[in-house]
Amino acid sequence: MSSSAARAYMTIGDVLARLQGEFPDITPSKIRFLESEGLIEPDRTPAGYRKFTHADVERLRFILAAQRDSYLPLRVIKEQLESRPPRTLVAADSQPSAEVALTRRQLLDAAGITEALLEELEAYGLIRRAGGHFGSEALLVARTAARLAPFGLEARHLRVIKAAAERELDLVEQMIAPLLKRRAPGAHEEAGRTADELSALVLELHTALVTAGLRDSLGR
């Protein structure tokens, strides 16, 4: 093996050094566990030591980000990896929160909901497909609906929340409409930043108002 080829490989210690800043809980045992589950397949030296490539590290980064940001089970992550071209791994986890593209079966498994509940959520417009798949927002809605179900809240009850969200969205869109009409360079980027800030403030106000209303109702 040439010296340049040898340098192309990394030890498990090298991998930890690259990933621990972003994923502090990564350990050798976790890497070995992911290997045992078939999510990564590092090469081995004649002596049996693992040797990792840059592609292995990016695959690990994708797996860890999907667990941390989208709470996906390993089986779903493995299915995504098998259907995703390797070159897209770096781009996929460069986002602050990993976007997902789930099949119907994957969404049901990841959210832990029944087909009947998913159909109800779709019927009331709470979950929609994007490009034939379900995204991270659909996963969050499904998981939240599952957590609300024990309180007796069904999909039909959640229409109130959807209606409130749509009114808040209309307000934000009205505020950024002038920015979207501008043709100056960077206008759309500015509109995006403004929309993010406005939506965060609207959600903060919404939470404060609900909390104050509950305090009054309960006489606290």
PDB file of all heavy atoms in Angstrom, residues 95-110:
ATOM      1  N   GLN A  95     -27.697  20.773   6.935  1.00  0.00           N
ATOM      2  CA  GLN A  95     -28.772  21.626   7.417  1.00  0.00           C
ATOM      3  C   GLN A  95     -28.829  21.595   8.933  1.00  0.00           C
ATOM      4  O   GLN A  95     -28.453  20.605   9.563  1.00  0.00           O
ATOM      5  CB  GLN A  95     -30.120  21.148   6.848  1.00  0.00           C
ATOM      6  CG  GLN A  95     -30.154  21.145   5.329  1.00  0.00           C
ATOM      7  CD  GLN A  95     -29.978  22.519   4.754  1.00  0.00           C
ATOM      8  OE1 GLN A  95     -30.470  23.489   5.307  1.00  0.00           O
ATOM      9  NE2 GLN A  95     -29.276  22.628   3.650  1.00  0.00           N
ATOM     10  N   PRO A  96     -29.329  22.664   9.593  1.00  0.00           N
ATOM     11  CA  PRO A  96     -29.429  22.667  11.050  1.00  0.00           C
ATOM     12  C   PRO A  96     -30.261  21.508  11.572  1.00  0.00           C
ATOM     13  O   PRO A  96     -29.972  20.942  12.598  1.00  0.00           O
ATOM     14  CB  PRO A  96     -30.098  24.012  11.352  1.00  0.00           C
ATOM     15  CG  PRO A  96     -29.844  24.854  10.154  1.00  0.00           C
ATOM     16  CD  PRO A  96     -29.783  23.908   8.988  1.00  0.00           C
ATOM     17  N   SER A  97     -31.325  21.174  10.870  1.00  0.00           N
ATOM     18  CA  SER A  97     -32.164  20.050  11.261  1.00  0.00           C
ATOM     19  C   SER A  97     -32.367  19.178  10.045  1.00  0.00           C
ATOM     20  O   SER A  97     -32.889  19.636   9.034  1.00  0.00           O
ATOM     21  CB  SER A  97     -33.513  20.555  11.787  1.00  0.00           C
ATOM     22  OG  SER A  97     -34.349  19.498  12.143  1.00  0.00           O
ATOM     23  N   ALA A  98     -31.915  17.920  10.127  1.00  0.00           N
ATOM     24  CA  ALA A  98     -31.903  17.073   8.954  1.00  0.00           C
ATOM     25  C   ALA A  98     -33.305  16.900   8.391  1.00  0.00           C
ATOM     26  O   ALA A  98     -34.224  16.514   9.097  1.00  0.00           O
ATOM     27  CB  ALA A  98     -31.324  15.711   9.304  1.00  0.00           C
ATOM     28  N   GLU A  99     -33.452  17.185   7.118  1.00  0.00           N
ATOM     29  CA  GLU A  99     -34.704  16.964   6.424  1.00  0.00           C
ATOM     30  C   GLU A  99     -34.818  15.485   6.115  1.00  0.00           C
ATOM     31  O   GLU A  99     -33.819  14.798   5.916  1.00  0.00           O
ATOM     32  CB  GLU A  99     -34.749  17.783   5.136  1.00  0.00           C
ATOM     33  CG  GLU A  99     -36.033  17.622   4.341  1.00  0.00           C
ATOM     34  CD  GLU A  99     -37.259  17.964   5.173  1.00  0.00           C
ATOM     35  OE1 GLU A  99     -37.360  19.087   5.666  1.00  0.00           O
ATOM     36  OE2 GLU A  99     -38.122  17.080   5.333  1.00  0.00           O
ATOM     37  N   VAL A 100     -36.030  14.973   6.118  1.00  0.00           N
ATOM     38  CA  VAL A 100     -36.240  13.568   5.825  1.00  0.00           C
ATOM     39  C   VAL A 100     -37.230  13.439   4.685  1.00  0.00           C
ATOM     40  O   VAL A 100     -37.999  14.353   4.388  1.00  0.00           O
ATOM     41  CB  VAL A 100     -36.759  12.805   7.068  1.00  0.00           C
ATOM     42  CG1 VAL A 100     -35.748  12.850   8.190  1.00  0.00           C
ATOM     43  CG2 VAL A 100     -38.098  13.380   7.538  1.00  0.00           C
ATOM     44  N   ALA A 101     -37.193  12.296   4.029  1.00  0.00           N
ATOM     45  CA  ALA A 101     -38.141  11.964   2.974  1.00  0.00           C
ATOM     46  C   ALA A 101     -38.603  10.543   3.241  1.00  0.00           C
ATOM     47  O   ALA A 101     -37.918   9.577   2.895  1.00  0.00           O
ATOM     48  CB  ALA A 101     -37.496  12.087   1.596  1.00  0.00           C
ATOM     49  N   LEU A 102     -39.740  10.419   3.914  1.00  0.00           N
ATOM     50  CA  LEU A 102     -40.203   9.122   4.391  1.00  0.00           C
ATOM     51  C   LEU A 102     -41.315   8.566   3.525  1.00  0.00           C
ATOM     52  O   LEU A 102     -42.191   9.300   3.054  1.00  0.00           O
ATOM     53  CB  LEU A 102     -40.721   9.251   5.830  1.00  0.00           C
ATOM     54  CG  LEU A 102     -39.751   9.786   6.880  1.00  0.00           C
ATOM     55  CD1 LEU A 102     -40.478   9.943   8.215  1.00  0.00           C
ATOM     56  CD2 LEU A 102     -38.549   8.890   7.027  1.00  0.00           C
ATOM     57  N   THR A 103     -41.285   7.250   3.325  1.00  0.00           N
ATOM     58  CA  THR A 103     -42.421   6.577   2.727  1.00  0.00           C
ATOM     59  C   THR A 103     -43.528   6.493   3.774  1.00  0.00           C
ATOM     60  O   THR A 103     -43.322   6.792   4.959  1.00  0.00           O
ATOM     61  CB  THR A 103     -42.044   5.164   2.279  1.00  0.00           C
ATOM     62  OG1 THR A 103     -41.702   4.391   3.443  1.00  0.00           O
ATOM     63  CG2 THR A 103     -40.851   5.184   1.316  1.00  0.00           C
ATOM     64  N   ARG A 104     -44.674   6.046   3.343  1.00  0.00           N
ATOM     65  CA  ARG A 104     -45.798   5.920   4.280  1.00  0.00           C
ATOM     66  C   ARG A 104     -45.455   4.937   5.408  1.00  0.00           C
ATOM     67  O   ARG A 104     -45.714   5.209   6.579  1.00  0.00           O
ATOM     68  CB  ARG A 104     -47.041   5.454   3.518  1.00  0.00           C
ATOM     69  CG  ARG A 104     -48.340   5.579   4.299  1.00  0.00           C
ATOM     70  CD  ARG A 104     -49.550   5.226   3.447  1.00  0.00           C
ATOM     71  NE  ARG A 104     -50.770   5.614   4.114  1.00  0.00           N
ATOM     72  CZ  ARG A 104     -51.299   6.834   4.070  1.00  0.00           C
ATOM     73  NH1 ARG A 104     -50.695   7.783   3.382  1.00  0.00           N
ATOM     74  NH2 ARG A 104     -52.422   7.124   4.719  1.00  0.00           N
ATOM     75  N   ARG A 105     -44.880   3.805   5.054  1.00  0.00           N
ATOM     76  CA  ARG A 105     -44.509   2.813   6.054  1.00  0.00           C
ATOM     77  C   ARG A 105     -43.470   3.355   7.018  1.00  0.00           C
ATOM     78  O   ARG A 105     -43.536   3.113   8.223  1.00  0.00           O
ATOM     79  CB  ARG A 105     -43.957   1.572   5.340  1.00  0.00           C
ATOM     80  CG  ARG A 105     -43.602   0.403   6.248  1.00  0.00           C
ATOM     81  CD  ARG A 105     -44.828  -0.251   6.817  1.00  0.00           C
ATOM     82  NE  ARG A 105     -45.132   0.154   8.187  1.00  0.00           N
ATOM     83  CZ  ARG A 105     -46.273  -0.083   8.777  1.00  0.00           C
ATOM     84  NH1 ARG A 105     -47.254  -0.686   8.147  1.00  0.00           N
ATOM     85  NH2 ARG A 105     -46.468   0.306  10.029  1.00  0.00           N
ATOM     86  N   GLN A 106     -42.495   4.081   6.497  1.00  0.00           N
ATOM     87  CA  GLN A 106     -41.457   4.652   7.348  1.00  0.00           C
ATOM     88  C   GLN A 106     -42.038   5.679   8.319  1.00  0.00           C
ATOM     89  O   GLN A 106     -41.637   5.734   9.487  1.00  0.00           O
ATOM     90  CB  GLN A 106     -40.375   5.300   6.492  1.00  0.00           C
ATOM     91  CG  GLN A 106     -39.497   4.302   5.760  1.00  0.00           C
ATOM     92  CD  GLN A 106     -38.551   4.970   4.789  1.00  0.00           C
ATOM     93  OE1 GLN A 106     -38.788   6.108   4.351  1.00  0.00           O
ATOM     94  NE2 GLN A 106     -37.471   4.300   4.431  1.00  0.00           N
ATOM     95  N   LEU A 107     -42.981   6.481   7.842  1.00  0.00           N
ATOM     96  CA  LEU A 107     -43.608   7.474   8.724  1.00  0.00           C
ATOM     97  C   LEU A 107     -44.378   6.795   9.847  1.00  0.00           C
ATOM     98  O   LEU A 107     -44.279   7.201  11.013  1.00  0.00           O
ATOM     99  CB  LEU A 107     -44.539   8.384   7.914  1.00  0.00           C
ATOM    100  CG  LEU A 107     -45.314   9.425   8.732  1.00  0.00           C
ATOM    101  CD1 LEU A 107     -44.359  10.425   9.371  1.00  0.00           C
ATOM    102  CD2 LEU A 107     -46.335  10.156   7.858  1.00  0.00           C
ATOM    103  N   LEU A 108     -45.129   5.762   9.509  1.00  0.00           N
ATOM    104  CA  LEU A 108     -45.893   5.035  10.531  1.00  0.00           C
ATOM    105  C   LEU A 108     -44.965   4.460  11.592  1.00  0.00           C
ATOM    106  O   LEU A 108     -45.235   4.556  12.794  1.00  0.00           O
ATOM    107  CB  LEU A 108     -46.700   3.909   9.872  1.00  0.00           C
ATOM    108  CG  LEU A 108     -47.868   4.346   8.971  1.00  0.00           C
ATOM    109  CD1 LEU A 108     -48.419   3.144   8.217  1.00  0.00           C
ATOM    110  CD2 LEU A 108     -48.965   5.004   9.781  1.00  0.00           C
ATOM    111  N   ASP A 109     -43.858   3.873  11.147  1.00  0.00           N
ATOM    112  CA  ASP A 109     -42.920   3.263  12.097  1.00  0.00           C
ATOM    113  C   ASP A 109     -42.201   4.313  12.934  1.00  0.00           C
ATOM    114  O   ASP A 109     -42.042   4.157  14.147  1.00  0.00           O
ATOM    115  CB  ASP A 109     -41.887   2.420  11.333  1.00  0.00           C
ATOM    116  CG  ASP A 109     -42.494   1.172  10.717  1.00  0.00           C
ATOM    117  OD1 ASP A 109     -43.615   0.802  11.112  1.00  0.00           O
ATOM    118  OD2 ASP A 109     -41.861   0.571   9.827  1.00  0.00           O
ATOM    119  N   ALA A 110     -41.743   5.393  12.282  1.00  0.00           N
ATOM    120  CA  ALA A 110     -40.969   6.414  12.992  1.00  0.00           C
ATOM    121  C   ALA A 110     -41.823   7.168  14.000  1.00  0.00           C
ATOM    122  O   ALA A 110     -41.339   7.554  15.068  1.00  0.00           O
ATOM    123  CB  ALA A 110     -40.356   7.391  11.993  1.00  0.00           C
TER     124      ALA A 110
END
